[in-house]
Amino acid sequence: MRLLDERLISLLSKDARQTSEVLARQLDVNPSTVRRRVQKLIKDGVIRIVALPDPEKTGFTFRAVVAFNVAHDKLDEVVEKLASREEVCWLSVTTGRFDVIAITRFRSSEDFFDFMQREVGILEGVRDTETFVCLHRGKVP
């Protein structure tokens, strides 16, 4: 990836609403160059411009990281089911102590309890879970 693209992505990550003119001044290039590079990055699937709601302001104040131990023959099935849940905002198959780690968000601890009982509790192949309740959010992507 070109250095210009890396710098452009960094600026867009902070505020994707910046105009081509503002970005061009920061990058010391022409606005048309910025527009062309952004369009290419989008077309190539390198970046997506999306709106990210603030969980705190939209009522999702309860966050938890859930780590799963999963039977290896059920791993794909468990990952697919977890990924389909709107409460799961990030999911990864991992190495080490846990097979899968998910970041979740809920409106309340009661909603989280229901999710763990009604959704996770019935997933075939889930051997064990460990939950880490997020007390303070220090860095927001």
Side-chain angles (χ1 to χ4, degrees), residues 4-71:
L4 175 62
D5 290 345
E6 290 175 5
R7 292 177 56 214
L8 179 56
I9 291 168
S10 177
L11 290 170
L12 288 170
S13 295
K14 292 180 179 95
D15 183 359
R17 298 172 299 158
Q18 296 179 76
T19 65
S20 298
E21 289 75 17
V22 169
L23 291 165
R25 277 195 300 275
Q26 295 175 75
L27 296 169
D28 197 28
V29 297
N30 289 324
S32 61
T33 300
V34 169
R35 286 189 290 277
R36 189 175 66 252
R37 297 307 311 155
V38 168
Q39 288 305 312
K40 179 158 179 34
L41 291 167
I42 291 170
K43 179 180 161 267
D44 292 347
V46 175
I47 64 170
R48 293 180 300 136
I49 307 295
V50 298
L52 294 174
D54 183 324
E56 299 289 325
K57 293 180 181 174
T58 55
F60 291 90
T61 57
F62 187 92
R63 292 173 307 279
V65 176
V66 184
F68 298 83
N69 285 321
V70 180

Side-chain angles (χ1 to χ4, degrees), residues 16-125:
R17 298 172 299 158
Q18 296 179 76
T19 65
S20 298
E21 289 75 17
V22 169
L23 291 165
R25 277 195 300 275
Q26 295 175 75
L27 296 169
D28 197 28
V29 297
N30 289 324
S32 61
T33 300
V34 169
R35 286 189 290 277
R36 189 175 66 252
R37 297 307 311 155
V38 168
Q39 288 305 312
K40 179 158 179 34
L41 291 167
I42 291 170
K43 179 180 161 267
D44 292 347
V46 175
I47 64 170
R48 293 180 300 136
I49 307 295
V50 298
L52 294 174
D54 183 324
E56 299 289 325
K57 293 180 181 174
T58 55
F60 291 90
T61 57
F62 187 92
R63 292 173 307 279
V65 176
V66 184
F68 298 83
N69 285 321
V70 180
H72 290 259
D73 63 326
K74 298 292 183 182
L75 186 62
D76 290 340
E77 183 180 326
V78 169
V79 167
E80 185 178 320
K81 287 183 180 176
L82 288 171
S84 72
R85 301 297 307 176
E86 68 181 33
E87 301 91 347
V88 176
C89 49
W90 182 87
L91 180 72
S92 180
V93 175
T94 61
T95 62
R97 181 173 165 198
F98 300 105
D99 302 303
V100 177
I101 296 179
I103 297 175
T104 63
R105 64 176 176 225
F106 299 87
R107 293 190 185 278
S108 67
S109 60
E110 290 82 14
D111 289 346
F112 176 70
F113 176 79
D114 288 343
F115 172 79
M116 293 300 290
Q117 292 297 309
R118 295 189 177 130
E119 304 299 329
V120 173
I122 63 169
L123 284 178
E124 189 177 334

